[in-house]
Amino acid sequence: MRRHAEVLILLLLPSVALGQVFVDVTATSGARNASMYCTGAVPGDYDSDGDLDLYVTNWGGGAPANALYENDGRGVFANVAAARGVANIGNSAAAAWADFDNDGDLDLYVVDFYEQDYLYQNEGGTFIEVGRTRGAVNMVRQGAETCVAWGDYDNDGWADIYIGKYYYHNELYHNRGDGTFALVGDLGVNDPRDTHAVDWIDFDNDGWLDLYVVNRGQANTLFRNMGGSFVEEGARRGVDDHGLGQDAAWGDYDGDGDLDLLVANVGANALYRNDGAAGFAEVGAAARVRYTGAGWITARGAWMDYDGDGDLDLYLANGGDRQAQPDALLANDGSGGFTDVTAAAGLPTSASARTDAVWADLDGDGAPDLYLTDGWGQGSKLFRNQTPGTAFLRVGVRGLGASATSVDAVGAQVRLLQADSGQLRGYQQVQRAGGAPLLCFGAASGVAYRVEVRFPCSGRQASQEVGAGARGGAGVVLVEPEH
């Protein structure tokens, strides 16, 4: 367990709000999204203006169309989905950003549960559909798509697509680098069970993206990447959770430099501590994350150091199956356990039917805000984090693309080190594309740091010194070096 030096603790104390940490700004944000059933939201800087926008997916033929909320830079949003060509009306189960053509802007994949999915290519801020209309992804239309994840599994510098399904096996599509994708059927990752969530992560820090698959009422699977081919190691590693799986959230909650795993279930959640070569140990009960008060249905888990104290905290979005239950914000106590601080932080304690929880600095002040989507007609909620932005350091990572790391740099390993001692203060991986700085570390004002990045494809490294006082909304961006 990482221990903070006394001086660091003293420096951080003033940045932790003594009263209410969050304030509800939904009414003035323009991002309420009053759908009867919203399935989720993904942040991304689609227009490359330096702030994070939101794409929100809705469900039901009569539901409002999906929304693309453009950020004015201060956390006020306007829905431009129709004008930009991405206002799908249907049963959208999920969406994910990625720069699949490595041209420097974010493209968009939208999952449709019943019909053919959509692949949108970003052309200067306007989107052209190239999946259905141009055959860029010749998808096998069997089963029902539920989820999607982008990741460069073969380290060729191009982002590939993995699709999770019900009623048919999952599918992996290889990015050819010419704007089209080819179905891959010989790598053993086409899980035939009912999949609810998928994640590309490098759990063993070897520079190759592994694949975790959350299955509904059936064993979850961990496909370890052995250099472009895969071996199923869920049971051997101890993460073959058999619950009614909803979601997986990866984060280094114990500060030891590798990713741990929270599995959100209908029923008991599980927290798997990554112990390296020894595998994972399930510590959910001891850490107090299995159940939270009256909440036993968790739709999403989301890690973030919301208070800037250097430890990852956890938000549980509960009631996602339309059974109203209260959410929970669980604060990391620094010794392996979590405490429910929902009410003290100023977040709702009343029952709701959340479907997603998204942490992102949406107003550009440096502190991570919280966006919650709803599956019961109450509309989404946006809560502004009032912790001073000087308590955080935002980091963005970009690969070179083509023969190097894909531009999105999914799988890049990012370490925050104290500059004078070299002591590890935080470890994260890039787990999704976003454009603007997406990673957020707790970082005391008045302390100098060094950010180090290891890129997954080339193995190249980049680093940047961050002087004392260099905090707030600007953030730092590290680009893969050419040599």
Side-chain angles (χ1 to χ4, degrees), residues 212-480:
Y212 191 72
V213 179
V214 177
N215 293 313
R216 184 84 169 180
Q218 302 155 88
N220 296 349
T221 50
L222 175 62
F223 295 104
R224 185 184 180 195
N225 194 333
M226 307 297 290
S229 62
F230 294 85
V231 175
E232 205 291 300
E233 295 190 353
R236 188 172 84 81
R237 297 278 175 172
V239 291
D240 58 332
D241 194 275
H242 287 68
L244 289 174
Q246 299 269 79
D247 187 43
W250 293 83
D252 182 18
Y253 83 92
D254 56 357
D256 64 351
D258 53 31
L259 294 181
D260 310 296
L261 169 64
L262 184 284
V263 176
N265 287 321
V266 177
N269 299 325
L271 178 59
Y272 295 99
R273 188 186 65 221
N274 189 341
D275 291 333
F280 291 78
E282 206 290 299
V283 295
R288 301 182 295 277
V289 301
R290 283 175 68 81
Y291 302 98
T292 55
W296 57 273
I297 297 177
T298 300
R300 293 285 191 274
W303 297 104
M304 178 58 69
D305 181 7
Y306 82 91
D307 52 5
D309 68 352
D311 293 310
L312 282 183
D313 310 298
L314 179 63
Y315 193 87
L316 298 181
N318 294 329
D321 278 3
R322 303 195 191 192
Q323 296 194 44
Q325 295 178 6
D327 290 357
L329 175 63
L330 304 179
N332 192 330
D333 63 13
S335 60
F338 293 83
T339 302
D340 190 331
V341 296
T342 314
L347 292 171
T349 57
S350 57
S352 58
R354 302 293 185 211
T355 55
D356 203 358
V358 175
W359 291 104
D361 178 16
L362 296 174
D363 57 5
D365 67 352
D369 308 303
L370 180 62
Y371 187 74
L372 303 173
T373 63
D374 177 76
W376 215 11
Q378 297 179 354
S380 301
K381 292 283 189 180
L382 176 57
F383 295 91
R384 181 180 182 270
N385 189 339
Q386 299 182 110
T387 305
T390 52
F392 302 94
L393 178 63
R394 294 196 308 151
V395 177
V397 181
R398 288 204 301 265
L400 292 176
S403 60
T405 303
S406 64
V407 171
D408 301 318
V410 172
Q413 301 168 23
V414 185
R415 292 173 173 83
L416 181 69
L417 307 170
Q418 193 162 327
D420 56 358
S421 66
Q423 185 175 359
L424 181 68
R425 292 302 182 188
Y427 172 79
Q428 295 185 41
Q429 279 185 27
V430 178
Q431 297 183 48
R432 63 186 179 194
L438 273 180
L439 304 183
C440 188
F441 292 88
S445 58
V447 177
Y449 292 94
R450 183 172 71 254
V451 182
E452 295 183 350
V453 178
R454 180 177 185 267
F455 290 85
C457 177
S458 65
R460 299 178 183 127
Q461 298 188 30
S463 66
Q464 181 171 331
E465 299 289 332
V466 181
R471 304 290 185 272
V476 298
V477 176
L478 290 94
V479 180
E480 182 178 16

Side-chain angles (χ1 to χ4, degrees), residues 52-107:
L52 291 171
D53 312 295
L54 285 168
Y55 190 75
V56 179
T57 51
N58 294 316
W59 179 277
N66 295 347
L68 173 58
Y69 290 112
E70 183 176 296
N71 194 338
D72 70 353
R74 299 169 298 165
V76 177
F77 297 85
N79 185 3
V80 298
R84 301 303 184 188
V86 290
N88 306 54
I89 300 177
N91 296 287
S92 296
W97 298 105
D99 185 1
F100 80 83
D101 51 6
N102 284 343
D103 68 349
D105 52 29
L106 288 177
D107 310 299

